[in-house]
């Protein structure tokens, strides 16, 4: 099963929690990204499916990705063919498939999110705790948020605004693009 986690305001935390849950069930879990993600201490920096499968066989868990090009402590996505081969060795693949510059709210650009082929479930995370904050304070891709809400950067977000951003930016377009995938909304409060 491939689970793509998109949105903002808690993707990495959600992925960690789900990895622990699946591991407790005895499942082999691969964690990776299609964009960029902070690496954990035991991250496997590779783009080699054989290495990833070996890690999954011995440990039951593997966070893997290519080293970030900027030399930071982040990983970037595996190539699509490596991800497809590595996914065959895992029971569950958790993919951080969207970036948000550590902001709790986002409206995706046209090329986002980056959902891998074969995704079974898409989990949308939205930082509903940003209600009451301004677009300028809380949002990634502010110009797109302003356009969707017909508001200025000084506008204070309401829960209705956040729900509209989820529906217009994620739920509707993802349902059209990925009709086979189950789409779930998780509000981080």
């Amino acid at each position: 099963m491939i689970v793509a986690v998109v949105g903002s305001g808690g993707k990495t935390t959600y992925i960690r929690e789900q990895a622990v849950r699946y591991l407790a069930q005895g499942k082999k879990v691969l964690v990776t990204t299609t964009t960029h993600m902070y690496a954990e201490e035991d991250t496997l920096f590779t783009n080699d499916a054989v290495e990833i499968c070996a890690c999954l066989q011995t440990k039951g868990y593997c966070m893997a990705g290519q080293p970030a090009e900027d030399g930071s402590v982040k990983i970037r996505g595996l190539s699509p063919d490596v991800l497809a081969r590595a996914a065959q060795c895992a029971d569950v693949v958790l993919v951080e498939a969207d970036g948000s510059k550590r902001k709790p709210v986002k409206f995706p650009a046209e090329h986002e999110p980056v959902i891998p082929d074969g995704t079974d479930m898409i989990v949308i995370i939205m930082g509903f705790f940003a209600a009451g904050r301004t677009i300028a304070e809380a949002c990634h891709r502010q110009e797109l948020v302003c356009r969707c809400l017909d508001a200025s950067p000084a506008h204070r977000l309401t829960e209705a605004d956040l729900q509209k951003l989820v529906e217009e930016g994620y739920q509707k377009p993802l349902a059209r693009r990925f009709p086979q995938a189950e789409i779930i909304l998780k509000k981080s409060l």
Side-chain angles (χ1 to χ4, degrees), residues 23 31 53 85 89 130 145 148 150 152 161 170-171:
L23 286 166
V31 173
C53 288
R85 289 195 318 255
C89 299
V145 171
C148 177
D150 192 25
S152 75
D161 291 335
Y170 288 99
Q171 288 174 319

Side-chain angles (χ1 to χ4, degrees), residues 76-189:
R76 60 187 172 96
L78 302 167
S79 63
D81 61 311
V82 169
L83 176 57
R85 289 195 318 255
Q88 294 174 359
C89 299
D91 297 309
V92 179
V93 181
L94 299 168
V95 181
E96 188 168 302
D98 206 4
S100 61
K101 302 282 187 201
R102 305 185 68 83
K103 297 282 189 173
V105 178
K106 176 184 180 180
F107 193 94
E110 208 168 288
H111 64 279
E112 298 171 314
V114 185
I115 308 287
D117 290 339
T119 294
D120 302 291
M121 180 186 299
I122 302 169
V123 178
I124 304 162
I125 307 287
M126 182 63 78
F128 272 70
F129 58 87
R133 294 174 63 190
T134 66
I135 291 172
E137 293 171 326
C139 299
H140 180 50
R141 306 235 185 269
Q142 291 176 31
E143 67 285 353
L144 298 176
V145 171
C146 290
R147 187 177 315 140
C148 177
L149 299 177
D150 192 25
S152 75
H155 173 76
R156 292 208 176 272
L157 296 163
T158 66
E159 284 202 22
D161 291 335
L162 297 170
Q163 189 62 47
K164 181 175 182 178
L165 292 169
V166 168
E167 289 172 9
E168 298 300 321
Y170 288 99
Q171 288 174 319
K172 289 178 182 178
L174 290 173
R176 284 190 300 272
R177 283 178 52 203
F178 302 96
Q180 80 289 353
E182 179 182 3
I183 299 174
I184 297 169
L185 171 62
K186 296 285 184 187
K187 297 177 180 180
S188 48
L189 302 170

Side-chain angles (χ1 to χ4, degrees), residues 33 35-39 43-46 64-77:
T33 183
T35 58
H36 290 88
M37 181 179 193
Y38 281 100
T43 298
L44 185 60
F45 290 91
T46 188
Q66 299 182 73
E69 295 163 336
D70 64 4
S72 67
V73 292
K74 289 184 176 183
I75 56 172
R76 60 187 172 96

